[in-house]
Amino acid sequence: MFKINRRKFLKYSTIFSGGIVCSQLLKSTFSNELFAKSFEPNLYEASFYERIGNGQVRCLICPQKCEVNNGGRGFCGVRENKGGKYYLIVHSRPCSINVDPIEKKPLFHYLPGEKSFSIATAGCNIACKFCQNWEISQYRPEQVPYVKATPSDIAEMAVEKACKTIAYTYTEPVVFYEFMRDTAIEGNKRGIKSVVITNAFINEKPLIELTKIVGAIKVDFKAFSDDFYRNICNGELKPVLRSMEIIKKQGVHLEIVHLTIPTLNDSDKEIREMSKWIKQNLGEYVPVHFTRFHPTYKMRNLPPTPVSTLTRAREIAISEGLKYVYTGNLPGNDGENTYCHKCGKLLIKRLGFYIRENKIKAGCCSFCGTRIPGVFT
Ligand code: SF4
């Protein structure tokens, strides 16, 4: 029976620090000792579903609300109906394991400078045409290499790698919800917080449960337009807005990323309306990142986002009253630094994913003493 070899993983995983573990890279670097030749599903009964008759089930994890016949799978491809029972089949079957700086998520106001033990399984509950990780998010578990690693294996590896957090990232953790939840619980037992990198396309009940056990959630806010969500992502805007309000209300640290795509979601009007909504509903201190798009997957016809578009989006959001607005995927740009919202002094100087200088002391500006929103120790 195949099982992850932890010592070997710890040796090889340094190869990946700083970069996503893509399926081909995994395959060529690790031997079959570490990667099973064919996918062995791990049947873990789903926590949120209902039986709807004739052997069918309805999944209640996300707003897709898939209705699945016996033997079938939901849209995300990682949940399967077997004899009228619904199962997550990728529990303890990560396809990516990596050690990243937390700035890569990006989370700028949550334990800056610390390492995050990052995992993903195959699958996603939406289908963005610009997905940067489509080789794992849009594939079925059978199509990507994976390892067998239980939640306690992962938490132990995070401890050995001196990571302060475990991140559920790269694909969409909502689809491997039970695996994420059990890993977060194991991490908490060892003093390691969990951070969730998500599209926030999740139903209310599972989200509320999740907010009780994780430290931070970063939401990929695709656009302030339901048309964009439906036509480009196969999702919907409204549930995402509701999720962000719930996260805020539950008191979990929240950051937002907007991948700014030329001509699709980059108009001044949309950025302004989105900034107003964020301020009104989530508050002025929620960090917002405008990040640069690179042509990929089904969207290779558009150019990379011009630097001027990102700096303009940042200026608009700041003019609408948001206090911590960043530019992303632009190493060396001033928009990746943190300035105190009270005295305006430079607090964290970054270069890409790395911190050059940090003037936040015990969560406060070391110049004027103002408390800086976030978790810094
Ligand atoms: S989690 Fe997957 S199976 Fe469940 S509703 Fe969402 S897309 Fe469908």
Side-chain angles (χ1 to χ4, degrees), residues 20 122 145 277 296 301 320 326 330 357 374:
I20 182 170
W277 185 90
T296 186
N301 57 321
E320 287 301 329
Y326 299 98
L330 285 183
E357 221 179 302

Side-chain angles (χ1 to χ4, degrees), residues 48 58-68 73-80 86 124-126 174-176 201 203:
F48 298 90
R58 180 182 295 121
C59 181
L60 301 174
I61 288 274
C62 92
Q64 298 287 9
K65 290 200 175 115
C66 299
E67 295 183 0
V68 185
R73 288 196 194 165
F75 177 86
C76 55
V78 300
R79 293 177 178 270
E80 187 167 316
Y86 207 41
C124 187
N125 57 349
I126 60 176
V174 166
V175 308
F176 60 88
F201 198 53
N203 289 336

Side-chain angles (χ1 to χ4, degrees), residues 13-169:
S13 63
T14 53
I15 294 166
F16 300 125
S17 56
I20 182 170
V21 183
C22 91
S23 49
Q24 278 312 316
L25 185 59
L26 277 175
K27 215 171 198 170
S28 59
T29 306
F30 287 90
S31 68
N32 283 341
E33 186 191 340
L34 282 170
F35 288 90
K37 283 178 183 150
S38 59
F39 182 68
E40 283 176 44
N42 182 23
L43 298 184
Y44 186 101
E45 188 171 4
S47 301
F48 298 90
Y49 76 98
E50 59 188 0
R51 294 186 174 90
I52 53 174
N54 296 326
Q56 268 197 320
V57 297
R58 180 182 295 121
C59 181
L60 301 174
I61 288 274
C62 92
Q64 298 287 9
K65 290 200 175 115
C66 299
E67 295 183 0
V68 185
N69 291 326
N70 186 14
R73 288 196 194 165
F75 177 86
C76 55
V78 300
R79 293 177 178 270
E80 187 167 316
N81 179 346
K82 272 195 182 296
K85 264 190 169 182
Y86 207 41
Y87 296 95
L88 172 65
I89 62 170
V90 292
H91 193 292
S92 307
R93 300 287 187 271
C95 69
S96 298
I97 302 183
N98 196 17
V99 176
D100 286 338
I102 198 161
E103 282 72 20
K104 192 179 174 189
K105 302 300 138 199
L107 281 164
F108 277 12
H109 288 235
Y110 196 82
L111 300 174
E114 296 292 348
K115 290 186 287 183
S116 193
F117 197 84
S118 304
I119 64 165
T121 74
C124 187
N125 57 349
I126 60 176
C128 302
K129 290 179 179 165
F130 50 86
C131 182
Q132 313 274 308
N133 295 331
W134 59 275
E135 287 151 307
I136 45 177
S137 74
Q138 301 302 315
Y139 279 8
R140 295 222 152 196
E142 289 81 355
Q143 296 171 294
V144 295
Y146 72 101
V147 292
K148 291 183 181 175
T150 65
S152 59
D153 288 337
I154 289 162
E156 282 299 315
M157 287 188 278
V159 171
E160 287 183 52
K161 283 288 191 184
C163 294
K164 288 276 193 301
T165 57
I166 300 171
Y168 312 92
T169 179

Side-chain angles (χ1 to χ4, degrees), residues 307 310-311 314 326-328 330-337 350-352:
V307 175
L310 295 166
T311 49
R314 180 168 179 258
Y326 299 98
T327 52
L330 285 183
N333 188 279
D334 186 48
E336 62 184 1
N337 299 323
R350 298 183 180 83
L351 184 62

